[in-house]
Amino acid sequence: MITALLEPWFADRALAEVERDLAGTSVLWSRYRHFTELVTDGTLAASPLLAEIDQPGVGPLLAPGSPLATDGTTGPRPAPALGEDTAAVLTGLLGRSAADIQLLTERGIIGGPRPDADPGR
């Protein structure tokens, strides 16, 4: 087992020695940290994969972007509102007509949350 090989090596070294010995190698490693430590010490805020966004209904939060670097990547962005993309999906991908979309919206079958709807139901 790999654990039997690695455990004694790590057990015989202080964290500073492990950091020194593994620096510059291709070994992917890190000490275990709680999520709150990563937030508090700024590690997450410094990550190029994360950015603060303002999510409607939630407020500001740290959100992940794609780890893939591509041209035109915009980073993380707020999730769409409930129903925001429904018409585009139904017309573009499923070939429904604008009249179909209007009828489905009027009947309350598609769309975002309705102001007259009871959130407790």
Side-chain angles (χ1 to χ4, degrees):
M1 298 286 264
I2 194 165
T3 303
L5 295 172
L6 297 177
E7 188 173 26
W9 188 89
F10 282 96
D12 290 343
R13 287 163 179 76
L15 179 59
E17 293 175 283
V18 172
E19 289 174 343
R20 182 198 66 222
D21 293 348
L22 295 180
T25 70
S26 60
V27 176
L28 180 61
W29 78 280
S30 183
R31 69 177 183 86
Y32 179 83
R33 292 181 281 180
H34 291 277
F35 191 76
T36 52
E37 288 179 84
L38 296 172
V39 172
T40 304
D41 73 8
T43 299
L44 293 180
S47 171
L49 292 178
L50 299 169
E52 187 171 292
I53 63 169
D54 185 24
Q55 178 64 48
V58 175
L61 59 93
L62 203 53
S66 173
L68 304 175
T70 59
D71 291 337
T73 299
T74 59
R77 58 182 184 258
L82 180 63
E84 184 176 331
D85 297 329
T86 302
V89 169
L90 292 175
T91 57
L93 295 176
L94 300 178
R96 305 304 300 201
S97 70
D100 290 339
I101 302 306
Q102 181 65 34
L103 179 62
L104 292 170
T105 302
E106 288 171 359
R107 293 178 62 195
I109 295 170
I110 63 169
R114 295 181 5 211
D116 61 332
D118 177 6
R121 289 197 300 173

